Amino acid sequence: MPERSEKSGGGESTLTVLLALAVNLAIAIMKAVAGVITGSAAMMSEAAHSVADTFTEGLLLTALRRSGRAADRKHPFGYGKERYFWSLLAAVSIFVSGAVFAFYEGFRTVFGAPEEQTSPVVGYVVLAIAFALESVSWAQAVRQVRRGAREEERSFLEFLRVSDDPTVKTVLLEDSAALVGLLLAFGGIGLHHLTGSSLWDGVASLLIGVLLAVVAFTLASTNRGLLIGRQADPHLVRAVWAELRDVPEVEQVVDLLTMAVGTDRVLLCARLDFDDALGVAELERACVRIDDELRQAHPELDEVFLEPVPRTDQALRARVLARYGDVRL
């Protein structure tokens, strides 16, 4: 399976985030001005949405910069998981800065005194410009996801589901939410304009809040799993298992543990039952050779640990069965 280099992937992720940051900052200012002019709750909610997205991009840039640091004494497995931590904060930012404010504006408008709408044309123009700008950022995120999916021979949705790079997924989801939010705001302003009732404006704001809450929850769940320690890509796990099983000195793959420790960085621990006829020196040379072959075949393997164990050990068998179920050892 073709692999992406972390360097190229990180560079494109940075471009995607920088483009989204510039777009969202410009849109946030336009929406805020239009919200004040029109008095639209939906427009103010969209302004808060863009402010939240701008903060999100700043957090993602921090994630990209800090996660690239080399391993050291205090962090021997590197800083790759920093990307997941800052991306989790980005999800929280979307909820707190965007969804909560949208809910506030929506409830205030729906249950408060009726509000008169002024200069709705300004709102229409700003929403149209914002849609065009957001489409540029969204298109860049889609291009990156499609390229990654092609390189890993996956479908678009499968790549998003298994990818260990939360930055591009965050940008894609928030830009998609932004486009949908703009349509909701347009509908709210338009129905307010046609009916004279601010109820529609408030309903649109509430729907924007729900949309942002769903996006925030989705991103938080993804990063929570990566922070806890998610298994590596199943394709990689199956490939490594098959390769180890075919090693001449290995009689049985007893256990295989993997964990994503960063974007395109995987920790691997393999427990192997070696041929009992091997001497100590032969076993050591075999382990060195297997390590080298695995790293050449799979550059994303950051650390490889090979542990010789007997497959008849009952305590080990019980742990493997508890983790995976009824598998043959």
Side-chain angles (χ1 to χ4, degrees):
M1 180 175 62
E3 303 294 344
R4 292 177 303 163
S5 69
E6 185 174 358
K7 182 177 179 181
S8 63
E12 189 173 14
S13 293
T14 301
L15 171 62
T16 301
V17 173
L18 283 172
L19 180 60
L21 174 62
V23 168
N24 283 315
L25 181 59
I27 291 175
I29 295 172
M30 287 193 304
K31 287 178 180 176
V33 173
V36 172
I37 293 174
T38 62
S40 167
M43 183 64 77
M44 291 303 294
S45 295
E46 273 299 296
H49 180 178
S50 292
V51 169
D53 286 352
T54 303
F55 277 120
T56 296
E57 312 313 335
L59 291 170
L60 293 181
L61 286 175
T62 302
L64 290 169
R65 181 176 60 85
R66 294 182 64 87
S67 65
R69 291 180 294 169
D72 54 31
R73 184 189 297 265
K74 289 186 176 180
H75 297 86
F77 296 112
Y79 292 82
K81 286 195 173 185
E82 284 239 31
R83 189 175 297 200
Y84 309 148
F85 170 74
W86 291 101
S87 297
L88 178 62
L89 291 186
V92 174
S93 169
I94 291 174
F95 180 77
V96 174
S97 303
V100 172
F101 184 82
F103 283 131
Y104 167 76
E105 281 292 312
F107 282 116
R108 182 185 64 81
T109 304
V110 170
F111 298 104
E115 298 182 4
E116 183 179 353
Q117 187 181 55
T118 58
S119 304
V121 175
V122 174
Y124 298 145
V125 171
V126 168
L127 290 174
I129 296 174
F131 196 92
L133 292 175
E134 287 283 8
S135 296
V136 174
S137 176
W138 180 83
Q140 167 61 23
V142 169
R143 279 195 298 270
Q144 184 175 351
V145 173
R146 283 179 174 169
R147 186 176 298 112
R150 282 197 305 270
E151 291 173 353
E152 296 189 9
E153 299 176 356
R154 300 181 187 275
S155 67
F156 187 90
L157 293 178
E158 183 186 10
F159 177 81
L160 278 179
R161 181 173 57 82
V162 304
S163 175
D164 58 7
D165 184 359
T167 52
V168 64
K169 182 175 182 178
T170 300
V171 173
L172 178 62
L173 286 183
E174 72 177 20
D175 283 351
S176 299
L179 293 174
V180 175
L182 290 169
L183 294 176
L184 291 173
F186 188 91
I189 293 175
L191 288 173
H192 188 177
H193 187 193
L194 291 174
T195 65
S197 172
S198 60
L199 172 66
W200 298 107
D201 205 14
V203 169
S205 183
L206 291 174
L207 291 175
I208 291 169
V210 171
L211 175 67
L212 292 177
V214 170
V215 170
F217 178 79
T218 302
L219 294 175
S221 297
T222 297
N223 288 286
R224 177 184 62 86
L226 290 166
L227 276 173
I228 291 172
R230 195 179 75 184
Q231 182 191 50
D233 181 349
H235 288 182
L236 172 65
V237 176
R238 287 192 291 269
V240 170
W241 188 291
E243 289 163 18
L244 290 174
R245 187 181 53 203
D246 293 337
V247 172
E249 296 89 344
V250 174
E251 291 190 348
Q252 183 76 45
V253 179
V254 178
D255 196 8
L256 192 63
L257 301 172
T258 62
M259 181 172 65
V261 294
T263 299
D264 294 331
R265 295 179 58 191
V266 174
L267 182 150
L268 168 70
C269 175
R271 293 185 171 120
L272 309 172
D273 185 3
F274 285 91
D275 186 346
D276 292 338
L278 293 174
V280 174
E282 293 174 310
L283 179 61
E284 290 174 343
R285 286 194 293 271
C287 287
V288 171
R289 192 192 76 245
I290 294 169
D291 182 298
D292 183 61
E293 289 174 351
L294 288 175
R295 290 178 185 274
Q296 288 188 24
H298 308 284
E300 67 269 43
L301 291 178
D302 192 56
E303 293 291 346
V304 176
F305 299 94
L306 303 176
E307 181 183 358
V309 298
R311 63 177 178 271
T312 55
D313 184 276
Q314 293 302 313
L316 176 57
R317 178 182 177 86
R319 291 201 302 272
V320 175
L321 287 173
R323 188 184 310 120
Y324 300 114
D326 188 13
V327 295
R328 292 185 178 182
L329 299 183

